[in-house]
Amino acid sequence: MSIPSTRILTAGELQAAFWPAAGMLGTSLRFRGVEFLRRVDDLDAARIKGSTAGIPLLYPWANRLGCLQYRAAGRQVSLDSSSPRLHFDDHKLPMHGVPWSRLEWLVVSSQSDTLTARLDWLSQELLAIFPFPHHVEMAVLLRPVDLEIQTTVFADSGSPVPISFGFHPYFGLPGIPRAEWKLNVPAMRKLVLDAQGIPTGQETPQAPVTARLGNNGYDDGFALSGEQATFSIAGNGYSVVMEFKNAFPFAQIFAPKDKEFIAIEPMTAATNALCSGEGLRVIAPGEQFTASFRIQVHRSHDRLVAPREIAP
């Protein structure tokens, strides 16, 4: 398979790269030449397999659905288990919507430190999976202090649109083993999951965590107290800070014990919201919905400065 065209953004000592023609995938985030994204060593293999890597958008739903049928915004949907546009987990449940490699975005504008791309959800193949015609725009802004990604859904085709997407960024720290990374997470409500990873509807309080990863593994979903939260990992003089800026009231933390990465995933809805309807937001025809997050990468002795905002 040919390598998609790469758009490289640069701001000060921070550099990021994206593949618009392949899911607007974030393929690199380097600070002073050091890579902080993970699972980016063999992106071609990930494309073929349908695996997540780097910073992928999970669209139109994040994580898994509990079954092949769902009803949302008044429409009944039956997914095809043999569809090449779907990816399935070990339990044969549809996972992460349409794989990033099968979503071609068109570049709207591009400068040295900004990139905006558009995805039209209008084809029959896509509407068979998510029958709500609309379009999505992703605006990426790189500043010397951070990378910000803003995603806007436009219900501009006469249809309501359920909102259930998320992102799955993979991070790692250089020169220090995973067990020694210090993880910081805010107080949240942990979602009780069944054996297939589907929320049961029950929650338990989760106190703030500031501790080394050690031998702890995570594959857990959480509800935030609001739509903003800050997470971080630190070690060897580096910090990666993940800030949910707006409209991401749920999170998933994925950090297998035997892997040198952690994924801190912003989500607009809980896992399986399309099927359960729990807390599912639906925008009406003519409306739009925007969610954003930002990633800071810095040395512990660097002074952080306030970033400029993405223009509306």
Side-chain angles (χ1 to χ4, degrees), residues 117-309:
R118 171 183 174 126
L119 174 68
D120 291 320
W121 198 273
L122 300 173
S123 72
Q124 291 304 309
E125 293 84 359
L126 295 178
L127 291 174
I129 293 168
F130 191 67
F132 309 97
H134 65 286
H135 90 268
V136 190
E137 285 191 2
M138 190 186 302
V140 177
L141 171 60
L142 190 69
R143 297 169 284 229
V145 295
D146 67 4
L147 169 70
E148 183 170 343
I149 298 177
Q150 177 177 286
T151 307
T152 302
V153 177
F154 296 87
D156 56 355
S157 299
S159 171
V161 183
I163 303 296
S164 190
F165 67 87
F167 286 80
H168 201 311
Y170 290 92
F171 303 117
L173 296 173
I176 183 173
R178 170 213 188 273
E180 297 182 28
W181 300 351
K182 185 178 180 180
L183 174 65
N184 290 274
V185 303
M188 299 181 287
R189 303 187 310 278
K190 186 175 181 179
L191 305 182
V192 177
L193 308 179
D194 66 17
Q196 295 182 314
I198 302 297
T200 64
Q202 297 179 305
E203 302 174 349
T204 60
Q206 171 75 52
V209 173
T210 300
R212 290 184 177 182
L213 275 178
N215 196 38
N216 297 314
Y218 292 87
D219 191 4
D220 303 291
F222 300 91
L224 279 54
S225 58
E227 295 189 350
Q228 297 180 334
T230 300
F231 305 76
S232 68
I233 56 171
N236 195 28
Y238 289 99
S239 294
V240 177
V241 181
M242 182 73 171
E243 179 186 351
F244 295 13
K245 289 194 64 181
N246 69 288
F248 286 116
F250 294 89
Q252 186 88 5
I253 298 179
F254 179 52
K257 295 180 182 180
D258 58 344
K259 302 294 184 182
E260 292 291 312
F261 64 70
I262 183 170
I264 300 170
E265 309 168 37
M267 298 169 58
T268 58
T271 296
N272 197 44
L274 282 180
C275 292
S276 69
E278 294 287 337
L280 182 66
R281 286 180 277 196
V282 178
I283 59 173
E287 293 183 343
Q288 64 187 59
F289 171 91
T290 298
S292 63
F293 67 93
R294 68 186 186 115
I295 304 164
Q296 294 176 293
V297 181
H298 59 88
R299 296 284 292 181
S300 58
H301 60 269
D302 291 339
R303 181 176 64 89
L304 297 183
V305 296
R308 63 185 175 92
E309 297 300 314

